């Protein structure tokens, strides 16, 4: 069991401003927050050196696109491609009439995919060709019966797309097929509202629900004669991992409140390596951790929380060489816990 050391903390945002997501893009770290702003940070110092304000009327999503381009989406039903080099909109996608809230995005080469909340009894997956942005390439409108919370392309098969929804279903699509019935390859009924889903390996999909139920499913192609059975059903992760909630499942190539990073290992079966747990002491205090990611080299972990802070962490071994430099100007103070009113809680983006 190892302990990480906080090596950098960003400047705090305005009170009651939450950071929704952080993402490493090229040599930068990018964040979106509840004040509808995108910020560009130096991943070494976590100093903000660029920002874009007024992104959306309620920003909800952040995805990497290409090189120094990122995608954002929001409750205004718009998708924007932001060029970090000039900090302005490169292009914008939107439907001409209906503009439901967009809750999830994914991209693969020139394709952009969005998933919406349920509106007028319809939750929609829309596929765009960013080179021809005037109208959608195709739409799937019948495969989910509730909000679409997560989208993920296969890392090596550009047309394979996984979607997760609060209807408890995780769907596997072939986006090269226009007809929705033919495009839907497999349906995995997780039985509980999906918070995160995606590809765990070349032929395996994972599903994590909002009540922390975790399962892994094998993809078997177009045979849907029987409902898929999980190849690994770990159930509620909270007692198993001794935690209060699960932030996310991410991959890396390389006392008091604590955030734990726990490796998921594939031997004869999928198991959590509890002995190799990495502790992040105090993490974001009593505030919820919204997002985390690894640096490009895999040596640094970034976390973001409802305290409006971004923190950088390294294991004790990795930070030993830079201890003197870090000790000179970094403190890890427990953030003040705000007493949010009911109005504040309704205003904050927390779809589930």
């Amino acid at each position: 069991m190892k302990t990480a050391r906080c090596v950098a903390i960003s400047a705090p945002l305005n009170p009651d401003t939450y950071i929704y997501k952080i993402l490493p893009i090229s040599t930068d770290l990018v964040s979106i927050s509840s004040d509808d702003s995108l910020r560009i940070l130096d991943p070494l110092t976590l100093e903000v050196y660029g920002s874009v304000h007024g992104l959306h009327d309620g920003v909800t999503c952040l995805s990497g696109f290409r090189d120094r381009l990122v995608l954002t989406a929001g409750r205004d039903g718009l998708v924007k491609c932001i060029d970090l080099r000039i900090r302005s909109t490169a292009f914008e996608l939107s439907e001409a009439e209906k503009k439901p809230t967009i809750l999830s995005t994914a991209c693969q080469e020139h394709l952009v995919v969005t998933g919406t909340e349920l509106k007028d009894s319809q939750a929609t997956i829309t596929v765009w060709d960013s080179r021809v942005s005037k109208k959608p390439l195709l739409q799937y409108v019948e495969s989910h019966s509730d909000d679409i919370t997560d989208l993920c392309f296969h890392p090596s098969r550009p047309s394979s797309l996984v979607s997760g929804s609060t209807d408890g279903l995780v769907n596997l699509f072939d986006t090269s097929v226009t007809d929705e019935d033919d495009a839907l390859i497999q349906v995995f009924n997780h039985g509980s509202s999906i918070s995160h889903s995606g590809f765990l390996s070349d032929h395996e999909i994972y599903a994590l629900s909002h009540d922390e139920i975790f399962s892994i499913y094998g993809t078997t192609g177009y045979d849907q004669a029987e409902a898929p059975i999980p190849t690994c059903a770990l159930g509620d992760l909270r007692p198993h991992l001794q935690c209060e909630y699960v932030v996310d499942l991410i991959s890396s190539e390389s006392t008091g409140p604590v955030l734990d990073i726990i490796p998921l290992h594939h031997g004869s079966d999928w198991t959590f390596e509890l002995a190799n747990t990495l502790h992040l002491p105090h993490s974001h205090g009593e505030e919820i951790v919204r997002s985390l990611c690894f640096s490009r080299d895999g040596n640094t972990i970034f976390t973001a929380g409802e305290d409006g802070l971004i923190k950088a962490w390294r294991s004790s071994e990795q930070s030993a060489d830079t201890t003197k430099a870090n000790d000179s100007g970094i403190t890890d103070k427990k953030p003040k816990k705000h007493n949010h009113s009911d109005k504040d809680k309704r205003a904050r983006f927390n779809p589930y």
Side-chain angles (χ1 to χ4, degrees):
M1 199 165 292
K2 303 176 182 178
T3 299
R5 183 177 185 274
C6 185
V7 296
I9 304 176
S10 66
L13 302 181
N14 291 330
D16 297 328
T17 300
Y18 308 108
I19 298 173
Y20 294 150
K21 188 168 183 178
I22 51 177
L23 199 64
I25 301 293
S26 187
T27 57
D28 300 318
L29 187 67
V30 181
S31 72
I32 55 170
S33 50
S34 58
D35 58 359
D36 288 329
S37 296
L38 177 147
R39 292 177 174 85
I40 310 168
L41 300 92
D42 182 325
L44 296 178
T45 64
L46 296 186
E47 292 183 2
V48 176
Y49 73 87
S51 58
V52 180
H53 300 289
L55 273 176
H56 296 273
D57 185 9
V59 65
T60 57
C61 305
L62 172 67
S63 300
F65 188 45
R66 286 197 305 263
D67 192 23
R68 300 293 301 282
L69 302 175
V70 297
L71 295 177
T72 64
R75 295 189 177 278
D76 52 12
L78 301 177
V79 179
K80 294 183 179 182
C81 178
I82 306 298
D83 189 331
L84 300 180
R85 293 163 295 191
I86 57 176
R87 299 161 201 170
S88 65
T89 303
F91 63 82
E92 187 175 298
L93 305 173
S94 69
E95 294 186 51
E97 299 178 359
K98 296 181 179 180
K99 291 185 179 181
T101 293
I102 296 173
L103 297 178
S104 52
T105 57
C107 51
Q108 178 73 272
E109 296 178 351
H110 58 275
L111 294 182
V112 176
V113 182
T114 61
T116 71
E117 72 175 2
L118 188 69
K119 183 178 182 180
D120 299 329
S121 302
Q122 186 170 291
T124 304
I125 295 174
T126 301
V127 181
W128 305 79
D129 185 334
S130 62
R131 300 168 299 182
V132 186
S133 58
K134 292 186 178 180
K135 57 182 295 187
L137 193 64
L138 58 90
Q139 289 185 316
Y140 304 139
V141 298
E142 298 177 349
S143 298
H144 286 294
S145 59
D146 212 333
D147 300 351
I148 298 165
T149 53
D150 206 4
L151 293 166
C152 179
F153 275 107
H154 192 281
S156 61
R157 294 197 295 271
S159 63
S160 293
L161 176 76
V162 161
S163 63
S165 169
T166 54
D167 61 10
L169 300 181
V170 176
N171 292 336
L172 176 61
F173 293 95
D174 181 351
T175 58
S176 65
V177 180
T178 304
D179 182 80
E180 185 167 358
D181 290 336
D182 295 334
L184 184 58
I185 299 173
Q186 266 187 291
V187 178
F188 307 90
N189 189 352
H190 192 58
S192 191
S193 173
I194 301 296
S195 60
H196 296 289
S197 60
F199 292 96
L200 195 58
S201 68
D202 198 42
H203 297 289
E204 289 176 298
I205 287 171
Y206 73 88
L208 176 66
S209 67
H210 288 101
D211 53 1
E212 321 306 350
I213 305 297
F214 182 75
S215 292
I216 299 170
Y217 302 87
T219 59
T220 59
Y222 290 84
D223 183 12
Q224 300 188 71
E226 297 180 359
I229 299 174
T231 57
C232 179
L234 295 176
D236 188 344
L237 293 183
R238 288 171 292 187
H240 188 65
L241 302 180
Q242 299 180 4
C243 64
E244 293 185 13
Y245 62 96
V246 178
V247 179
D248 203 350
L249 190 150
I250 59 176
S251 61
S252 175
E253 296 178 359
S254 55
T255 58
V258 62
L259 178 69
D260 287 343
I261 309 296
I262 304 171
L264 181 61
H265 175 69
H266 191 197
S268 58
D269 201 352
W270 287 98
T271 57
F272 285 98
E273 295 183 337
L274 297 178
N276 290 324
T277 296
L278 180 64
H279 288 294
L280 277 56
H282 309 293
S283 60
H284 289 260
E286 299 293 335
E287 302 292 354
I288 292 174
V289 179
R290 283 281 189 160
S291 181
L292 76 158
C293 62
F294 282 89
S295 61
R296 291 290 182 181
D297 60 14
N299 292 327
T300 305
I301 300 167
F302 300 106
T303 62
E306 293 192 352
D307 52 8
L309 298 176
I310 297 174
K311 296 187 178 184
W313 306 80
R314 295 194 188 101
S315 66
S316 299
E317 293 88 344
Q318 291 168 333
S319 60
D321 294 336
T322 57
T323 297
K324 292 183 180 180
N326 290 328
D327 282 345
S328 63
I330 295 173
T331 59
D332 188 6
K333 296 180 179 179
K334 183 177 179 181
K336 181 179 179 181
K337 185 176 180 181
H338 303 290
N339 294 319
H340 307 298
S341 65
D342 291 340
K343 181 179 180 181
D344 290 333
K345 291 180 180 179
R346 286 195 300 269
R348 116 192 189 198
F349 169 57
N350 186 7
Y352 317 102

